């Protein structure tokens, strides 16, 4: 889990975006680690040579662009140290010689480094000031003090450093040497990094980059030299590397000692085949004796609004540039909701509200279903935990349903089946919490949010056809589509990841099938059921993509309702929250026949055709912040100053 933080300025901060903490327990080989590091640190970062070439051809028109390149370059330079090692300046005489968990980096001098560093300073001085010149100068002072005092080449840095004994056995090997130890060299505390505050979102992100990179070199960089072991005095200082975590130490032990690599059994590729006979949609009135009615629908949104500018304020060093407006254009999302509360607390709040609005008491509930793909609880299941929290001594069934973005149709289908067995109300909760499962993956950060919705599905009155007309669920497909959204994903440090082209392919496939089925089903008064649909409330995946695919399938954009601009993608909870918002926005003002299609991870899909009555909507639940306001408890302190290391020393009282 990688939770966000609300800093003392009331802004959202995503620490994983600037302070990488990779999970090495899921990596077995150097090749696997190199693939992760290469993608996250190297693919977007320019080398020093590339920066010099860009300067030479006049590619920089803004100071910000040069700052960004310096920051990405320095994260790449520190790719192994930031993820695997802690740097500890140590006197040569005190350095352990025989331990296998203390390492010394072997480095190659940076050829022509002084010229490249001087070119950066000259280019900076010739570029026009931006809107916030003081901030730009301060950031350049921090970044250039690191970049301009680099002594070593970065391309050939090895992930596994030699032990001290191995270093001593390499004639001519060079490592970092300092003339003396500086135990009080100033660094930025974690709180100061979190509380970085700039008016320009892009500069706020760079401020955190600069602080983290400054902390990688807690000594006077200009005094650093590269020397052989024979040229190091007893009281001079070297930079010892220690494993950052136990998982890193175990990884180093595995790769250094040739531990066996886990493999999967191989099997030939298969070609997906269609069902032997079509899997027809379920016509509820014809199939089931007990007809379902929806007595209430309650929603809970994440209590924190994450604007697109908040995403930009937390730009990761692994991202290419993208503005808040570009995020909106690509996804249709302007903001999403995040919660500091546990996913169970979101579910419980929604369940309480739905029960209250329906007039039902817990002892009347026959089954509890929770549709979610982000639960951090396996035993007991979230549904069973929720049943206990509601005070239910026993249910016929309490179970979680992992159907991701098709959570509502899957959940309704199972609720209707449960009704046949228990003949009493079923509580269905659709809930997701994505905000702590995203990390530095921008495609996921742009899209996903947190929220919950709960429905009480009860037996309809005698003689009533109920509220749910048609239910359909799908799953599977080509492996690329089945694996189009993955969590946890070891290749992305266990963050949730989205493979856009494959998602688009599965949505197009299912949407075409759904429209075909509705077109073939009879309507209530003759004609086609598709023509009787009054409103389409799709899963809120990506507005731009859904509109394009819907129009291709023969639907028009004005038939669709979206609240994704304000809510983002809340997976299983997205359709029921959108139904609630359609009533709130006055789109649904009377009982309305709605087509609600969902599709997503695991190549799942499904839809419900149901009647939505505004009367079922419960008063919205507003959860208070889960964490006490830090602004009221953090002691004031002087701001960190300056455009040079002298200013930084002064700010820390050094």
């Amino acid at each position: 889990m990688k939770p966000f933080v609300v800093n003392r300025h009331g802004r959202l901060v995503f620490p994983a975006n600037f302070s990488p903490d990779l999970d090495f327990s899921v990596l077995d080989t150097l090749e696997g680690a190199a693939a992760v590091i290469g993608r996250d640190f190297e693919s977007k970062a320019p080398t020093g040579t590339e920066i010099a070439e860009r300067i030479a051809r006049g590619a920089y028109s803004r100071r910000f662009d040069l700052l960004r390149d310096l920051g990405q370059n320095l994260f790449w330079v520190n790719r192994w140290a930031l993820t695997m090692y802690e740097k500890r300046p140590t006197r040569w005489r005190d350095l352990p010689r025989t331990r296998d968990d203390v390492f010394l980096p072997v480095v190659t001098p940076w050829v022509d480094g002084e010229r490249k560093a001087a070119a950066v300073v000259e280019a900076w001085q010739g570029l026009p000031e931006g809107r916030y010149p003081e901030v730009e100068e301060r950031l350049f002072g921090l970044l250039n003090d690191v970049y301009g005092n680099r002594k070593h080449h970065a391309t050939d840095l090895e992930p596994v450093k030699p032990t001290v004994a191995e270093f001593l056995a390499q004639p001519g090997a060079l490592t970092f040497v300092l003339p003396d130890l500086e135990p009080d060299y100033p660094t930025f505390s974690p709180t100061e990094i979190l509380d970085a505050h700039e008016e320009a979102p892009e500069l706020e992100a760079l401020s955190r980059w600069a602080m983290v990179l400054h902390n990688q070199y807690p000594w006077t960089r200009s005094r650093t030299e590269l020397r052989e072991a024979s040229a190091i005095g007893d009281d001079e200082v070297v930079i010892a590397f220690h494993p950052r975590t136990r998982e890193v130490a175990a990884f180093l032990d595995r790769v250094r000692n040739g531990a066996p690599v886990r493999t999967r059994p191989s099997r030939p590729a298969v070609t997906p085949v269609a069902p032997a006979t079509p899997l027809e949609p379920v016509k509820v009135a014809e199939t089931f004796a007990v007809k379902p009615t929806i007595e209430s629908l309650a929603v809970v949104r994440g209590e924190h609004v994450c604007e697109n500018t908040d995403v930009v304020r937390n730009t990761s060093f692994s991202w290419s540039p993208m503005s808040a407006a570009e995020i909106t254009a690509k996804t249709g999302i302007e903001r999403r909701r995040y919660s500091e509360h546990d996913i169970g607390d979101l579910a419980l709040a929604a369940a309480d509200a739905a029960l209250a609005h329906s007039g039902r008491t817990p002892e009347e509930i026959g089954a509890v279903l929770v549709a979610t793909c982000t639960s951090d609880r396996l035993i007991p299941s979230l549904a069973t935990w929720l049943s206990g929290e509601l005070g239910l001594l026993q249910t016929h069934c309490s179970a979680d349903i992992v159907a991701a973005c098709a959570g509502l149709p899957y959940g309704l289908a199972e609720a209707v089946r449960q009704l046949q067995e228990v003949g009493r109300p079923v509580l269905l909760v659709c809930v997701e919490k994505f905000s702590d499962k995203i990390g530095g993956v921008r495609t996921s950060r742009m899209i996903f949010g947190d929220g919950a919705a709960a429905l009480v599905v009860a037996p309809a009155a005698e003689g009533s056809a109920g509220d749910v007309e048609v239910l359909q669920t799908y799953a599977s497909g080509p492996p690329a589509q089945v694996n189009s959204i993955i969590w946890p994903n070891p290749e992305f440090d266990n963050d949730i990841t989205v493979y856009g082209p494959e998602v688009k392919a599965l949505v197009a496939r299912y949407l075409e099938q759904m429209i075909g089925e509705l077109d073939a089903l009879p309507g209530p008064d003759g004609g086609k059921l598709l023509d009787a649909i009054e409103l389409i409330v799709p899963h809120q995946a990506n507005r731009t993509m859904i509109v394009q695919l819907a129009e291709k399938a023969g639907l028009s954009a004005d038939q669709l309702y979206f609240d994704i601009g304000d809510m983002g993608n809340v997976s299983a909870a997205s359709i029921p929250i959108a139904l609630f918002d359609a009533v709130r926005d006055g789109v649904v003002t009377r009982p309305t026949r709605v087509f609600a299609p969902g599709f997503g991870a695991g190549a799942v899909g499904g839809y419900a055709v149901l009647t939505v009555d505004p009367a079922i909507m419960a008063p919205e639940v507003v959860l208070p912040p889960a964490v006490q306001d830090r602004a009221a408890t953090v002691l004031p302190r002087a701001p960190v100053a300056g455009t040079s290391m002298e200013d930084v020393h002064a700010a820390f009282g050094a």
Side-chain angles (χ1 to χ4, degrees):
M1 302 299 176
K2 297 175 182 175
F4 64 90
V5 174
V6 181
N7 69 16
R8 67 172 184 163
H9 303 291
R11 285 180 172 163
L12 301 179
V13 183
F14 314 143
N17 283 17
F18 53 83
S19 184
D21 185 15
L22 301 186
D23 183 2
F24 277 83
S25 68
V26 300
L27 299 173
D28 290 320
T29 65
L30 281 178
E31 292 77 14
V36 173
I37 296 298
R39 183 194 60 239
D40 289 352
F41 287 81
E42 190 167 358
S43 62
K44 300 294 194 306
T47 65
T49 298
E50 288 170 335
I51 291 175
E53 290 173 348
R54 292 175 186 180
I55 290 172
R57 67 174 187 267
Y60 294 109
S61 60
R62 301 184 302 167
R63 287 185 162 187
F64 171 79
D65 297 325
L66 180 54
L67 285 174
R68 200 177 193 283
D69 274 6
L70 290 177
Q72 287 188 310
N73 171 269
L74 291 171
F75 272 105
W76 168 68
V77 169
N78 285 275
R79 58 195 180 276
W80 299 114
L82 276 164
T83 55
M84 294 179 65
Y85 300 100
E86 177 185 346
K87 298 176 181 178
R88 298 181 191 173
T90 306
R91 293 190 193 280
W92 184 243
R93 70 167 70 246
D94 299 327
L95 188 71
R97 291 330 196 242
T98 60
R99 282 174 50 178
D100 62 2
D101 62 345
V102 181
F103 306 92
L104 275 180
V106 173
V107 292
T108 303
W110 190 19
V111 177
D112 212 14
E114 291 184 3
R115 183 189 63 79
K116 294 173 182 176
V120 165
V121 174
E122 183 178 355
W124 177 263
Q125 293 170 345
L127 289 171
E129 294 180 344
R131 185 177 177 187
Y132 302 95
E134 297 86 358
V135 177
E136 291 178 339
E137 286 288 356
R138 171 164 50 84
L139 298 184
F140 182 73
L142 287 171
L143 292 171
N144 190 58
D145 189 61
V146 177
Y147 186 86
N149 287 297
R150 261 182 62 195
K151 300 292 193 296
H152 67 291
H153 191 57
T155 302
D156 57 357
L157 291 175
E158 295 295 333
V160 179
K161 312 300 181 185
T163 64
V164 178
E166 290 168 340
F167 172 79
L168 293 173
Q170 296 183 47
L174 302 176
T175 196
F176 301 111
V177 179
L178 304 171
D180 51 38
L181 192 63
E182 299 177 84
D184 292 323
Y185 193 87
T187 58
F188 296 98
S189 71
T191 298
E192 285 166 321
I193 296 172
L194 294 177
D195 285 344
H197 175 80
E198 304 296 347
E199 289 303 316
E202 295 86 354
L203 291 178
E204 186 167 308
L206 287 186
S207 291
R208 296 194 179 93
W209 292 15
M211 292 179 184
V212 169
L213 293 166
H214 165 84
N215 284 1
Q216 280 294 298
Y217 301 87
W219 55 81
T220 302
R221 295 84 189 249
S222 61
R223 302 172 71 193
T224 308
E225 297 180 10
L226 304 183
R227 291 197 212 155
E228 300 180 33
S230 60
I232 305 173
D234 282 348
D235 289 322
E236 291 184 310
V237 175
V238 294
I239 310 303
F241 279 37
H242 295 251
R244 186 173 289 276
T245 65
R246 285 184 298 177
E247 288 74 18
V248 170
F251 172 77
L252 289 170
D253 186 66
R254 288 196 297 273
V255 299
R256 286 172 60 85
N257 293 297
V261 177
R262 292 173 291 180
T263 60
R264 292 186 59 197
S266 61
R267 56 168 294 164
V270 297
T271 301
V273 294
T277 58
L279 301 171
E280 300 291 345
V282 176
K283 291 176 273 191
V284 174
E286 297 177 13
T287 306
F288 297 109
V290 181
K291 309 301 187 289
T293 188
I294 300 174
E295 294 187 335
S296 64
L297 192 161
V299 306
V300 177
R301 306 174 204 272
E303 68 278 8
H304 295 288
V305 178
C306 177
E307 303 277 356
N308 287 348
T309 51
D310 292 309
V311 177
V312 175
R313 288 184 191 282
N314 287 276
T315 295
S316 169
F317 52 86
S318 64
W319 296 356
S320 54
M322 180 173 279
S323 69
E326 288 170 331
I327 294 173
T328 300
K330 190 174 183 65
T331 65
I333 300 170
E334 296 180 5
R335 60 194 64 85
R336 68 287 296 144
R337 301 297 189 101
Y338 289 165
S339 180
E340 294 177 271
H341 293 277
D342 294 338
I343 190 172
D345 295 329
L346 297 175
L348 183 58
D352 282 336
L355 289 173
H357 191 67
S358 69
R360 300 289 185 174
T361 56
E363 59 267 27
E364 296 179 75
I365 300 301
V368 177
L369 304 171
V370 174
T372 183
C373 63
T374 54
S375 176
D376 49 17
R377 180 188 300 278
L378 294 178
I379 303 176
S381 68
L382 187 50
T384 307
W385 175 87
L386 183 61
S387 301
E389 292 295 311
L390 290 170
L392 290 164
L393 184 61
Q394 185 176 342
T395 66
H396 178 63
C397 170
S398 292
D400 291 356
I401 299 171
V402 184
C405 304
L408 180 70
Y410 265 77
L412 273 179
E414 182 57 32
V416 172
R417 285 190 283 266
Q418 289 291 325
L419 282 181
Q420 313 312 305
E421 298 178 12
V422 300
R424 63 186 71 187
V426 174
L427 176 65
L428 168 63
V429 179
C430 301
V431 61
E432 305 287 8
K433 181 173 180 179
F434 284 98
S435 58
D436 59 355
K437 302 168 181 72
I438 296 173
V441 179
R442 186 175 64 183
T443 50
S444 304
R445 180 63 70 187
M446 292 192 303
I447 293 172
F448 292 111
D450 304 341
L455 302 89
V456 174
V457 185
E462 190 70 29
S464 170
D467 298 327
V468 184
E469 295 180 52
V470 179
L471 290 167
Q472 175 66 296
T473 56
Y474 313 120
S476 200
Q481 293 181 19
V482 170
N483 296 295
S484 59
I485 305 176
I486 301 176
W487 179 73
N489 188 349
E491 294 183 5
F492 280 82
D493 196 37
N494 285 334
D495 297 333
I496 186 168
T497 48
V498 179
Y499 298 94
E502 289 77 12
V503 172
K504 190 171 183 178
L506 77 88
V507 173
R509 175 167 65 93
Y510 280 146
L511 195 55
E512 181 180 2
Q513 184 174 349
M514 293 174 184
I515 298 304
E517 290 175 355
L518 293 182
D519 195 53
L521 288 171
D525 302 312
K528 301 175 180 180
L529 181 57
L530 181 61
D531 295 332
I533 300 296
E534 298 176 272
L535 182 68
I536 302 172
V537 180
H539 162 54
Q540 309 288 298
N542 176 318
R543 179 170 185 152
T544 305
M545 177 186 72
I546 296 296
V547 168
Q548 290 173 349
L549 294 176
E551 290 177 339
K552 187 176 181 180
L555 304 174
S556 63
D558 57 8
Q559 293 177 274
L560 307 173
Y561 172 80
F562 291 97
D563 68 350
I564 189 171
D566 291 319
M567 282 300 301
N569 179 341
V570 203
S571 194
S574 75
I575 293 175
I577 292 176
L579 292 172
F580 183 95
D581 288 348
V583 173
R584 178 202 63 188
D585 293 345
V587 176
V588 174
T589 59
R590 55 171 177 75
T592 301
R593 181 177 285 106
V594 174
F595 166 45
F599 17 70
V604 295
Y607 60 87
V609 177
L610 69 163
T611 298
V612 176
D613 188 338
I616 69 172
M617 303 303 170
E620 183 167 344
V621 179
V622 180
L623 290 178
V627 178
Q628 184 180 0
D629 183 11
R630 289 184 61 235
T633 58
V634 175
L635 295 176
R637 62 189 189 286
V640 176
T643 60
S644 66
M645 282 314 304
E646 288 74 16
D647 294 322
V648 175
H649 275 282
F652 280 84

